[in-house]
Amino acid sequence: MVLRSSSFEEYVAMRGCDPPQPQDINDYQYLHDHMTELDKAQALETDSISGVRDQDFFIPVSIDSQNYPRPEPYTTSIRARAYTHVAANDGLGPFPLVVYFRGGAFISGDLETEDVTARQIAKLCRCVVVNVEYRHSPKYSYPTPLQDCWDSVKWLARHSRTQLRADPLNRGFIVGGTSTGALLAMSVAFRARETNLTPPLTGQLLRSPILIHPGAVTSYRGPPLESYFATVEYPLHTKSMIERAFEHYGVPPESWGSPFVSPLLANDFTNLPPAYFQVTTLDLHRDEGLRQQQQLAEAGVRTKIDVYEGMPHAFWLLPRIKQAAAATRDLVLGIHWLEVSSGWDSGIREELGSWTRDAEEGEGEKRYKERKLCRVAGCGCFM
């Protein structure tokens, strides 16, 4: 049985039909079709987002191998796209830097998948956003996607000021992503902490995060991950699909519990940058986001979370549905919160208008803190 809700029914009505569901664990045509649909939805919105300049460029990365982290020198390159806020006075800048990693279950997606997200952040938050086209499985298995993301962050730390008019040292340095992109972002945050990356990261954006390898779920010793073990199927993302995707990602079993593969299982969360979470309740990975937010907070890391009742995994990637606008509002407020938490401020608060009424604590966060979760049939909806 696929779990549904009144909010999800509204999502379906605005979409025009039910989203596709995988027919079996090998149904990669489903995932390809779904990502193509998302790309088309993003393309419809691109022209409507004015005030953003984009520029494709290449970032040097390490050659494919089974070692992580890989030593330099770099031997190949990957494509990236920078989005810059176009101010009325073109001399303004430099800007904060946001490095964004798309979702796609490690096996799909490209620069178009998160194009609208990147444009929205660049425009509404007056940031430089870099959308990284990391290589993905099955052609490039673990650790290539992770290494590409880490190499990109290192390169941008050194060169973004001179080449992109960003200033990660003085204006802020955020990594983020959706779904498996959020896993990659948090893995990069662990690596940056270990290596004392300069300039340091100042924030994490974790949207519908997947934070544990399916083979390591039983190793988690915190509160039960009820959403993962529910007796229902969640829309868009099924357990069999994500298990198969991780198989293609190709992590050896001895590394399943690594914080670079399963950040939820890390032993030390101290000294990580502040983190903003967006979690949906009709999501196999709902409890991974909820538990990780708790673990970070208990370790003294500043966190903020918004929870979306009755919505499926990463629903905002279909930008024309009504609920996506609320998620975008919360994302902008979350970035503003990261600014304030890290002691820097791009000055966007004055431009947010009525959105600022939720800046300190959104409705999703308030309801999550009350812990009024429905326990019926594995549902994650709030009562």
Side-chain angles (χ1 to χ4, degrees), residues 4 8-20 37 318:
R4 304 175 78 93
F8 181 64
E9 295 297 347
E10 185 176 4
Y11 163 86
V12 170
M14 292 182 180
R15 187 179 180 278
C17 62
D18 269 13
E37 177 186 31
L318 289 173

Side-chain angles (χ1 to χ4, degrees), residues 89-105:
N89 178 356
D90 201 49
L92 291 181
F95 299 101
L97 177 63
V98 177
V99 186
Y100 206 87
F101 306 124
R102 70 178 187 279

Side-chain angles (χ1 to χ4, degrees), residues 110-121:
D110 52 29
L111 291 181
E112 308 307 322
T113 305
E114 298 275 11
D115 185 77
V116 168
T117 296
R119 290 178 187 276
Q120 290 170 331
I121 295 173

Side-chain angles (χ1 to χ4, degrees), residues 14-57:
M14 292 182 180
R15 187 179 180 278
C17 62
D18 269 13
Q21 290 293 319
Q23 301 302 310
D24 59 61
I25 62 174
N26 294 305
D27 191 0
Y28 288 98
Q29 188 62 42
Y30 148 76
L31 187 57
H32 173 76
D33 291 346
H34 181 54
M35 299 305 291
T36 299
E37 177 186 31
L38 294 179
D39 286 353
K40 290 179 179 177
Q42 301 274 308
L44 290 173
E45 296 298 304
T46 295
D47 292 340
S48 67
I49 303 176
S50 60
V52 177
R53 179 188 298 116
D54 64 76
Q55 168 194 353
D56 284 13
F57 64 103

Side-chain angles (χ1 to χ4, degrees), residues 132-210:
V132 177
E133 193 168 52
Y134 61 85
R135 293 169 288 180
H136 58 72
S137 60
K139 183 177 181 180
Y140 296 102
S141 59
Y142 175 86
T144 297
L146 176 58
Q147 184 70 51
D148 284 353
C149 294
W150 174 234
D151 287 345
S152 298
V153 166
K154 288 191 298 179
W155 187 89
L156 290 164
R158 299 169 186 168
H159 301 289
S160 60
R161 184 178 180 93
T162 57
Q163 301 201 23
L164 301 175
R165 258 180 35 181
D167 186 359
L169 176 61
N170 298 303
R171 302 300 304 278
F173 193 178
I174 294 173
V175 292
T178 299
S179 190
T180 48
L183 188 157
L184 292 168
M186 193 163 207
S187 299
V188 164
F190 278 111
R191 187 67 185 155
R193 182 190 65 179
E194 283 190 1
T195 61
N196 295 313
L197 178 70
T198 304
L201 298 178
T202 60
Q204 303 174 77
L205 295 173
L206 306 171
R207 311 183 75 200
S208 279
I210 297 176

Side-chain angles (χ1 to χ4, degrees), residues 121 135 138 240 269 297 313 324:
I121 295 173
R135 293 169 288 180
S240 60
F269 297 99
H313 186 81

